[in-house]
Amino acid sequence: MYRRERSVPLRGSSLALYNNLAVLPLPAKRLSYFASVHGASVGLVSAAADGAGCAHRQLQAREGGLGPPIVTQGRPAPNRPFRLSRQMYEPDGSAMVYWHALDGMDLIGQREAAGASAGNPGFPIPLAGTSTGSVLVFDVPAKGTNITLSEVLEQHSSPITDIGAELCEQPGAADLVTADDSGALCVWGSGETFRLINKIPASDCTCSSVKLWNGVIAAGYGNGQIRLYEAAHGTLRAQVNAHARWIYALDLAPLSGKLLSAAEDSFVRVWGLSHKADTDSLEITHCHTECVTDTQICGARFCNPEGTAFAVTGFELNEIILYHQV
């Protein structure tokens, strides 16, 4: 069971974008970083674990190209560039270190994520989806700011909505999944270049959020369903009518297998995923439900790998609400 503990204030409200909340816990410093998009800026907040104080930074997108900047996601990363749509900044947001120019109106889509590349084994690399369905793969060196575009993945015909990845030590295993506005999913394996493992066909609605955990794909859809697929073959393993309205965010706690879902219906739910070794089956169980009254939830994230705490924000909400397990 989870209980509402406190809130972290935001300088600006959150926009109604898929997965519009990023959380980076720093246990050694007893700090957590939170990021949420508002207009052409990202609100970056660092908060102490005991709630004693918060530090705010408003990161404004630089203008350029054919019109005003459009920000679709901001994500803090430990000791590496902070990613704000197609622009990358120092981890504290103090200086921009890279700007990727896009041709014409090919704007960055709703989401970027980190995956693993054979060129940088075990090291996260940023990927970004575009409105044309392309996925841009960037090479970020372990030191320095010589960031380059290393690869473009071309399998989607609709705008990219989300990207899920996990670091996998097994050679040839699926470690990246991309989702688009038609509901199609592409499953990839990393190497010297990414290779397509399989493609799950378009659905009857948008896949707005996707996660990858232990070879299982968790996908959230506009009809409120959560579907679990086997990553290696694309087989549907389970389907749950989880919400009454559009799912806007999913998150997975890698150490416990807890799945967090949040939707327009004002509900946040925690689910448990488990493998049955004797039957090779996958089970999903409902663990907890929380209602954020009169809030169109657009962002939800676990605050640690165990999934004992999570954070929630919503459209035009000027705060991030924190919940802890009791």
Side-chain angles (χ1 to χ4, degrees):
M1 182 177 179
Y2 294 79
R3 180 178 63 194
R4 180 170 175 168
E5 294 288 340
R6 60 187 174 90
S7 296
V8 175
L10 287 171
R11 289 278 177 85
S13 60
S14 299
L15 282 185
L17 300 171
Y18 303 146
N19 308 291
N20 191 10
L21 179 64
V23 179
L24 173 64
L26 298 175
K29 297 183 178 180
R30 295 185 58 79
L31 283 174
S32 291
Y33 282 91
F34 302 89
S36 176
V37 173
H38 173 75
S41 66
V42 171
L44 182 62
V45 186
S46 61
D50 57 4
C54 300
H56 295 262
R57 179 185 290 273
Q58 204 73 12
L59 197 58
Q60 195 76 21
R62 304 287 181 84
E63 293 192 17
L66 298 178
I70 297 176
V71 179
T72 54
Q73 192 212 17
R75 168 175 292 210
N79 303 317
R80 302 306 305 141
F82 177 92
R83 299 187 289 282
L84 187 158
S85 199
R86 60 182 174 182
Q87 300 170 12
M88 299 188 190
Y89 290 75
E90 292 289 354
D92 61 358
S94 59
M96 187 173 68
V97 297
Y98 181 75
W99 184 341
H100 180 72
L102 295 169
D103 295 330
M105 295 302 293
D106 184 14
L107 298 174
I108 286 291
Q110 294 280 11
R111 181 76 168 152
E112 74 179 4
S117 166
N120 293 299
F123 187 78
I125 59 173
L127 302 98
T130 71
S131 61
T132 63
S134 301
V135 178
L136 312 180
V137 183
F138 295 94
D139 181 23
V140 179
K143 293 183 179 180
T145 59
N146 187 26
I147 300 169
T148 58
L149 176 65
S150 61
E151 190 177 355
V152 179
L153 308 181
E154 302 276 9
Q155 284 291 331
H156 291 275
S157 56
S158 297
I160 301 298
T161 52
D162 199 15
I163 302 173
E166 68 173 347
L167 298 178
C168 184
E169 297 180 357
Q170 182 179 353
D175 51 15
L176 179 71
V177 58
T178 52
D180 69 27
D181 198 55
S182 73
L185 305 178
C186 289
V187 185
W188 309 82
S190 62
E192 291 300 326
T193 60
F194 282 97
R195 60 183 180 85
L196 183 68
I197 293 178
N198 63 69
K199 189 171 183 178
I200 298 171
S203 180
D204 53 351
C205 55
T206 296
C207 177
S208 53
S209 191
V210 68
K211 293 294 174 183
L212 187 59
W213 175 76
N214 287 355
V216 174
I217 298 169
Y221 291 85
N223 60 2
Q225 288 185 344
I226 295 174
R227 300 173 191 172
L228 304 180
Y229 296 93
E230 182 184 345
H233 304 291
T235 306
L236 180 64
R237 302 290 296 275
Q239 182 172 288
V240 179
N241 293 321
H243 292 271
R245 298 188 67 182
W246 202 289
I247 292 177
Y248 259 61
L250 291 180
D251 197 21
L252 261 165
L255 297 185
S256 63
K258 292 179 180 177
L259 176 67
L260 185 69
S261 64
E264 286 183 325
D265 59 6
S266 302
F267 284 97
V268 184
R269 291 191 166 93
V270 180
W271 312 82
L273 303 185
S274 60
H275 287 281
K276 293 291 184 179
D278 53 342
T279 60
D280 193 32
S281 63
L282 176 68
E283 290 188 356
I284 178 170
T285 56
H286 175 257
C287 302
H288 180 78
T289 292
E290 198 71 44
C291 179
V292 187
T293 307
D294 298 328
T295 301
Q296 179 185 333
I297 300 172
C298 58
R301 285 285 179 271
F302 283 118
C303 297
N304 53 44
E306 298 80 15
T308 58
F310 64 86
V312 176
T313 192
F315 176 50
E316 294 189 342
L317 196 64
N318 291 79
E319 61 180 349
I320 298 170
I321 307 170
L322 301 182
Y323 295 85
H324 291 265
Q325 192 170 350
V326 293

